Amino acid sequence: MNSTDFLADEISARYGAVQRARGCFLYTRKGVRLTDLYQEGGRAILGWGGSCFTVFKNVLSRGLTGSYDTDFTGRIARAAGDLLASGRIVGIYDTQRAALQTALAAGKESTSMWKPWLPDAPDWSGVAAVVIEPPLPWTQSLWITAMLPSAQAEAALAEHPGIKIPAPLAAAAARSMYDMIAALQERKETDWFIYDPVVTKYWTRKGPYLYPKLPRGQYEDFVKHCLDCALVISPVYEIPSIVPFGADAGVFRKLKNTPFAAEGC
């Protein structure tokens, strides 16, 4: 059983199936609201729902679900360019490995995995090849390699052409990047440190990202303990949990009142 299956099973065992999701909250069959700090490993960092799904439904209503090119295909390149503040050519891939392989072929000495709100983030506009995991809580099999135009990038794209995706998904992915551009202007350190009195007992926080302090061997028990406190955290030790933007600090009250006994915390 993989980690996400483990997390899903543990949620269902306690609270029943998730019936609705909005913002950073999951609403279960048993009427319990869970605060989501896993956020699909970052794909739901902007929250569940939003304008990207409105765009998806609007394009879907046109019947544009085939493997042909549409006006929406090129929007991903424009959105990635706007996100990185530089003109880009893009390849679309169904695995992180394939996306990274293309990025390395395009610019081995200047390749990076894009992540928002990193305290030590590079100047993305100057990075030759950037692998983007779009903030679209839809699928784990959509990766974008955004490359500065060059003969080397064109050769990399010819060698690794990637996949075509249906227009509704292309439109939603592009919209999610524009939503991220807006969020980058709105969210800041003051939106995250308000949770520090509780979270820094168990995590080291860097921007909105929470890295566990407790030993790896105790992490699965901590995941279960957090679920008992109505908190969904990352089931993978190496993947950080994320501060629940927009949630009242009271969502951590159960964890504060029922602390987890862990070595090193």
Side-chain angles (χ1 to χ4, degrees):
M1 178 185 297
N2 64 36
S3 297
T4 52
D5 288 342
F6 155 75
L7 183 63
D9 288 348
E10 292 292 330
I11 292 173
S12 295
R14 288 167 174 76
Y15 306 113
V18 174
Q19 295 190 306
R20 186 167 62 93
R22 176 176 293 179
C24 61
F25 298 113
L26 307 175
Y27 299 84
T28 68
R29 181 176 294 278
K30 292 185 178 181
V32 177
R33 188 187 74 173
L34 306 177
T35 304
D36 182 15
L37 284 73
Y38 174 42
Q39 299 175 19
E40 295 296 284
R43 286 190 184 261
I45 195 169
L46 298 184
W48 294 97
S51 64
C52 58
F53 287 110
T54 301
V55 169
F56 182 92
K57 290 187 291 184
N58 290 342
V59 177
L60 182 63
S61 69
R62 303 184 190 184
L64 296 177
T65 57
S67 56
Y68 36 74
D69 288 331
T70 70
D71 290 341
F72 298 99
T73 307
R75 292 190 182 183
I76 289 183
R78 291 195 294 274
D82 289 343
L83 179 65
L84 302 174
S86 51
R88 297 282 166 164
I89 59 174
V90 304
I92 301 171
Y93 303 91
D94 55 6
T95 67
Q96 183 185 39
R97 180 178 181 179
L100 185 57
Q101 185 179 31
T102 307
L104 291 172
K108 187 175 182 180
E109 303 304 319
S110 182
T111 293
S112 186
M113 298 289 298
W114 177 82
K115 203 177 187 71
W117 295 295
L118 288 175
D120 53 351
D123 177 2
W124 296 111
S125 66
V127 180
V130 181
V131 176
I132 300 173
E133 184 180 19
L136 176 65
W138 170 268
T139 173
Q140 296 294 325
S141 57
L142 180 61
W143 297 84
I144 299 165
T145 301
M147 298 161 281
L148 292 172
S150 69
Q152 190 172 349
E154 294 284 0
L157 197 55
E159 184 179 357
H160 309 284
I163 61 173
K164 291 184 181 293
I165 58 176
L169 185 56
R175 171 58 68 180
S176 74
M177 286 187 276
Y178 283 117
D179 288 343
M180 174 56 74
I181 291 170
L184 288 169
Q185 308 304 314
E186 296 169 358
R187 302 186 187 185
K188 49 191 179 298
E189 177 68 15
T190 53
D191 295 309
W192 303 315
F193 77 68
I194 59 173
Y195 307 98
D196 282 358
V198 177
V199 301
T200 54
K201 176 178 174 63
Y202 303 103
W203 291 278
T204 297
R205 183 179 64 78
K206 297 180 180 179
Y209 302 106
L210 303 174
Y211 297 87
K213 290 181 177 179
L214 67 162
R216 182 190 299 271
Q218 295 188 6
Y219 191 68
E220 183 174 310
D221 289 336
F222 182 57
V223 172
K224 295 177 181 178
H225 181 80
C226 286
L227 282 176
D228 292 336
C229 297
L231 300 171
V232 180
I233 69 170
S234 172
V236 183
Y237 189 83
E238 295 79 11
I239 297 177
S241 297
I242 299 171
V243 170
F245 178 80
D248 185 273
V251 299
F252 290 102
R253 186 172 295 114
K254 288 184 180 180
L255 180 60
K256 180 179 180 180
N257 294 338
T258 313
F260 180 73
E263 300 175 7
C265 293

